[in-house]
Amino acid sequence: MLSNRFTLFLSLLLLHLVISCRTEDGGRNIDGKYSLYTMNKDLGNTIITSNTVDSGNLTISKNGIDIPTQQFDRSIIVKDKHFYFLRAGKFKKYTLESNGLKEIAQVAMQDQHIENINWLDRDTLLLFTSDNKTNRRLWIYKITVNDFKINQQQEVKLPSASADFKILSVGFGTIHQQRLLIGYTFNKVINETDFTTIDTMYIATLDKTTLQLENIQKDTRSSYPGGVNTVQSYSFHDENGNFYFMSCPGIALGNSPSKPTAIFRIDSNSTHINPTYFLNLTAETHNHAYGMWYLGNNQAIVRSERRDRYTDFSDHHSTYQFEYYVVDLISQTTTKLNLPFDKGTRKESVLVENGKAYITIDDAKDQHQVWIYNIKSKNIQVGLTLDQATDFIVRIDRLHQISN
Amino acid sequence: MKIDHKLIEKYHLGQCSPAEQLLVEEWLLDDTLDSEPLSISITKKTKLETDIWAELNSHIDQSEAPIIVPPKKYSFKYIGIAASIVFLLCVGFYQFSKDAEKAAAIFDNRTSAGLKYINQNSYNIILGKNARAEINTDTGEFKTSGNMMFIPKKNFAFSFSGTDKKKELKHGETYFVLKPQKNGKQVIISKSELTFLAPTIQHELKIQFNII
């Protein structure tokens, strides 16, 4: 017994020494203003934080904090120096330490996965979830993140659209006109590698307090409104309170490619989709797009695929094919940015602040860089560069909230 | 106050208060103190034990009836020699059985709607419902019908249907080997690439292979 304890003591000592040797190399910033989530060539994932993304060079081995892929993926939620992730029935809150993410709180969420999120304010997070078993039912959780408590938890019963299309996809959930609007659609699995989406976008209007369903709108101009926004952004409110969302019927989300990728608007004074507003991106670019970020002044940036460069869903992510377009939401024109082709299906690769759009690109020269687009001057330059241990930069987030 | 790995770490860093320091030292020397067991879960521990036994059992012939030998004291020297011989025999037997495993193998799950788990020396394979695989590790041929997961225990290069180029499957990664597409090309997706598939397909594969 005594010798067992000694063995335990010695092994913990050894473990401790190994850990301290790793952390004493000093390069790991855990408190930078920005965080980048990378998937690396050695199959590992890391988070790198940095006080600037405007310039500099960082390496995965020296500056990256290892994130175990058995426990996390790039859909991690980043907000105000904290990270949030739902896995195996538990939604957990973490802080970043030099040897990894440290859990500081958790709530139970049995058999659920996140379809969408919305921050009502800095302390209140809405989660739109579905159950793993049916993937058909919708729940809403309202969580205050400071005390990490579930304050509301309710199933919203959405009527079936068709007996064939049994899988729910929630593309956005937003407060608009003092109502909760939820954009969603239904999918059908054909086999393990093939599926499609019903030809309709649905928007449910709910009382934002009681979550009672008031009305459901349908729109067939496209399908698959939005997408899982913990992986990529697809919607926003402009300065005047108009809500914009994109539809994503391309193979990477809806797989109903005969429908166009388009941008839709719900005007600030209405809860209904504007029936005359229809920004058809596919007509402009002859391609599908996934991902949309607001630049301000009625301009947005979209990430668009190139049909002529990939074969099918199996090489969609590894093909250097993605282009970024600036879209004028009023004149409905698009301008391609002069950037190298990017790879990686769906990425939170754009961060807009201080008149600049920071765009992370993994290009064909195996360069992994933040590109800086100056919104006013339209000038483009290279900022922070990561080394070639990187395979994909899948997220760029503001880790510290800008004080209001 | 109780002993845990944090306190022991603190002890090594010299950050313990005198009271904490005393507690750690007492804990070390005193075998009667109450303390929490190691923070390894029972299920994990049991699994570890079963895994080790399963691995050992596959190489050890069970004797018909246990022979009871009266306890006898041997010197450490003889025990050492005996242990070394047993160890060498085990290693030898393990190596022998490893080499003896045929390079060509056929796995069939065509009549089953459930998963079939197969543990080979150089790889694990999980056949999906109605799936079948023909694998030859010498020639590098990998023929399939249906969907399966393949977990290499060493690096491989396999040729799959629809392409002449060999695909590297690396130790440390898990692969989904999926039905060939309409163009005849076999789809091989590593688990780390799963995140890039459409959410509907990701979910379908996770459900099918029970990895949610």
Side-chain angles (χ1 to χ4, degrees):
Chain A
M1 194 64 188
L2 193 62
S3 63
N4 275 348
R5 287 200 172 166
F6 255 112
T7 320
L8 169 65
F9 188 80
L10 285 176
S11 41
L12 281 168
L13 172 67
L14 196 67
L15 185 72
H16 173 75
L17 287 176
V18 169
I19 292 167
S20 29
C21 287
R22 284 181 54 113
T23 48
E24 272 162 18
D25 58 8
R28 290 179 179 80
N29 182 1
I30 57 162
D31 206 21
K33 286 179 190 159
Y34 303 91
S35 83
L36 300 170
Y37 191 105
T38 65
M39 292 173 61
N40 307 324
K41 291 196 184 107
D42 68 1
L43 306 174
N45 289 359
T46 51
I47 290 176
I48 290 186
T49 85
S50 172
N51 276 329
T52 178
V53 284
D54 283 280
S55 61
N57 291 278
L58 293 173
T59 69
I60 298 299
S61 62
K62 284 206 187 82
N63 311 104
I65 295 160
D66 285 341
I67 304 301
T69 53
Q70 302 86 349
Q71 291 173 45
F72 301 96
D73 64 44
R74 42 86 164 248
S75 67
I76 197 162
I77 302 165
V78 186
K79 179 89 167 171
D80 285 344
K81 301 186 188 182
H82 290 103
F83 295 81
Y84 303 88
F85 198 72
L86 170 61
R87 186 185 157 266
K90 289 188 177 91
F91 185 57
K92 296 182 180 178
K93 179 180 182 179
Y94 300 87
T95 52
L96 190 62
E97 306 213 331
S98 54
N99 57 352
L101 288 165
K102 186 190 165 201
E103 181 194 328
I104 52 170
Q106 59 164 275
V107 288
M109 245 174 238
Q110 206 53 47
D111 192 45
Q112 301 287 303
H113 65 266
I114 295 176
E115 286 281 327
N116 234 273
I117 67 161
N118 187 27
W119 287 95
L120 296 184
D121 56 57
R122 282 175 73 166
D123 187 32
T124 318
L125 175 63
L126 277 190
L127 295 183
F128 302 86
T129 68
S130 186
D131 63 315
N132 296 326
K133 253 183 232 103
T134 69
N135 208 359
R136 161 66 184 82
R137 297 164 69 186
L138 170 67
W139 277 267
I140 296 176
Y141 287 83
K142 190 190 270 186
I143 295 165
T144 44
V145 291
N146 288 336
D147 58 5
F148 215 61
K149 293 246 153 46
I150 298 174
N151 291 321
Q152 198 173 2
Q153 168 181 355
Q154 207 163 307
E155 184 178 358
V156 178
K157 297 221 160 135
L158 298 171
S160 276
S162 139
D164 283 356
F165 291 83
K166 288 178 187 151
I167 294 167
L168 175 74
S169 288
V170 179
F172 64 83
T174 187
I175 301 290
H176 187 84
Q177 281 271 307
Q178 297 303 307
R179 292 283 184 279
L180 175 61
L181 302 186
I182 303 173
Y184 65 96
T185 190
F186 295 101
N187 312 125
K188 171 173 84 173
V189 169
I190 297 162
N191 60 47
E192 297 77 7
T193 54
D194 200 10
F195 74 103
T196 191
T197 300
I198 201 162
D199 61 356
T200 308
M201 308 188 293
Y202 300 85
I203 295 177
T205 307
L206 282 75
D207 183 293
K208 72 169 185 173
T209 314
T210 64
L211 305 181
Q212 288 307 301
L213 190 59
E214 293 177 350
N215 155 271
I216 293 173
Q217 302 168 57
K218 294 177 191 174
D219 197 313
T220 56
R221 288 176 290 175
S222 183
S223 75
Y224 211 100
V228 180
N229 69 344
T230 50
V231 169
Q232 192 173 47
S233 300
Y234 304 92
S235 61
F236 54 81
H237 274 102
D238 72 6
E239 300 89 338
N240 301 315
N242 300 304
F243 181 71
Y244 289 90
F245 67 92
M246 78 189 299
S247 65
C248 297
I251 72 156
L253 277 173
N255 203 23
S256 178
S258 59
K259 292 269 186 183
T261 294
I263 300 173
F264 298 87
R265 186 167 77 198
I266 300 174
D267 294 331
S268 61
N269 57 2
S270 164
T271 55
H272 284 78
I273 305 181
N274 183 324
T276 57
Y277 186 88
F278 182 60
L279 202 167
N280 187 334
L281 285 173
T282 300
E284 286 278 318
T285 62
H286 308 291
N287 275 292
H288 286 296
Y290 320 87
M292 178 170 78
W293 299 264
Y294 192 48
L295 296 174
N297 298 314
N298 300 309
Q299 287 190 335
I301 212 162
V302 295
R303 189 168 186 261
S304 187
E305 73 181 21
R306 275 282 293 269
R307 183 67 196 93
D308 57 328
R309 294 179 77 92
Y310 70 87
T311 322
D312 57 27
F313 80 95
S314 66
D315 68 348
H316 195 265
H317 66 285
S318 54
T319 304
Y320 298 99
Q321 58 156 324
F322 290 98
E323 299 175 318
Y324 290 86
Y325 285 86
V326 170
V327 181
D328 188 308
L329 298 162
I330 305 299
S331 67
Q332 305 205 2
T333 51
T334 57
T335 314
K336 192 170 94 66
L337 293 180
N338 186 19
L339 291 165
F341 285 115
D342 189 12
K343 72 166 178 177
T345 303
R346 303 187 302 277
K347 300 197 294 188
E348 188 60 7
S349 54
V350 179
L351 176 72
V352 181
E353 66 173 47
N354 302 330
K356 294 172 190 164
Y358 295 100
I359 306 167
T360 64
I361 289 183
D362 303 297
D363 70 24
K365 290 183 190 157
D366 199 13
Q367 299 178 118
H368 308 274
Q369 295 167 307
V370 177
W371 292 73
I372 306 158
Y373 170 65
N374 186 311
I375 299 166
K376 207 170 176 187
S377 71
K378 301 188 182 353
N379 181 35
I380 292 175
Q381 63 187 79
V382 173
L384 177 68
T385 300
L386 302 188
D387 72 333
Q388 294 188 337
T390 315
D391 202 0
F392 300 91
I393 306 173
V394 279
R395 307 194 63 83
I396 177 167
D397 294 280
R398 180 87 193 184
L399 183 55
H400 290 203
Q401 184 79 344
I402 307 158
S403 30
N404 296 314
Chain B
M1 208 176 344
K2 60 173 187 178
I3 299 284
D4 56 16
H5 71 283
K6 279 184 200 151
L7 190 60
I8 295 175
E9 266 183 27
K10 235 171 128 186
Y11 181 81
H12 288 304
L13 287 169
Q15 292 169 347
C16 277
S17 67
E20 285 172 331
Q21 194 174 338
L22 194 68
L23 186 75
V24 175
E25 282 162 5
E26 264 183 355
W27 173 80
L28 252 176
L29 296 170
D30 187 352
D31 207 23
T32 58
L33 272 179
D34 280 340
S35 63
E36 292 281 316
L38 242 190
S39 62
I40 176 167
S41 72
I42 301 289
T43 44
K44 227 174 173 177
K45 198 178 156 197
T46 322
K47 179 150 191 320
L48 211 63
E49 282 173 1
T50 353
D51 285 354
I52 292 168
W53 277 115
E55 183 69 17
L56 280 175
N57 278 335
S58 63
H59 303 301
I60 297 168
D61 285 328
Q62 295 282 339
S63 50
E64 294 279 311
I67 301 155
I68 298 153
V69 181
K72 199 176 168 184
K73 288 198 173 174
Y74 295 100
S75 77
F76 275 117
K77 191 175 145 192
Y78 290 118
I79 294 174
I81 292 169
S84 310
I85 292 169
V86 169
F87 178 75
L88 285 173
L89 279 174
C90 285
V91 170
F93 184 73
Y94 178 74
Q95 283 299 331
F96 175 75
S97 63
K98 199 172 161 184
D99 295 341
E101 186 172 285
K102 281 180 184 165
I106 296 173
F107 308 107
D108 203 327
N109 195 32
R110 277 180 301 183
T111 52
S112 166
L115 298 176
K116 188 171 185 179
Y117 296 82
I118 294 139
N119 189 352
Q120 293 286 96
N121 284 331
S122 56
Y123 55 85
N124 288 346
I125 186 162
I126 303 165
L127 296 175
K129 58 178 178 188
N130 312 126
R132 183 181 189 273
E134 255 180 74
I135 300 169
N136 189 324
T137 50
D138 274 351
T139 62
E141 274 175 297
F142 199 135
K143 290 180 193 163
T144 70
S145 63
N147 302 311
M148 62 205 65
M149 276 171 88
F150 186 81
I151 305 128
K153 295 181 191 171
K154 62 175 197 174
N155 292 343
F156 284 108
F158 282 116
S159 51
F160 290 94
S161 115
T163 170
D164 301 331
K165 229 173 102 183
K166 283 202 171 179
K167 165 90 181 166
E168 272 186 63
L169 301 187
K170 291 179 193 159
H171 174 53
E173 179 59 293
T174 296
Y175 296 88
F176 293 91
V177 180
L178 306 175
K179 277 177 208 158
Q181 293 295 283
K182 283 168 205 151
N183 59 13
K185 209 183 95 190
Q186 185 104 38
V187 176
I188 298 129
I189 299 276
S190 70
K191 208 172 165 194
S192 55
E193 292 172 309
L194 195 62
T195 182
F196 294 123
L197 300 188
T200 310
I201 288 300
Q202 281 183 47
H203 194 264
E204 181 61 25
L205 286 174
K206 284 179 185 172
I207 289 281
Q208 189 178 134
F209 288 100
N210 203 14
I211 52 170
I212 272 202

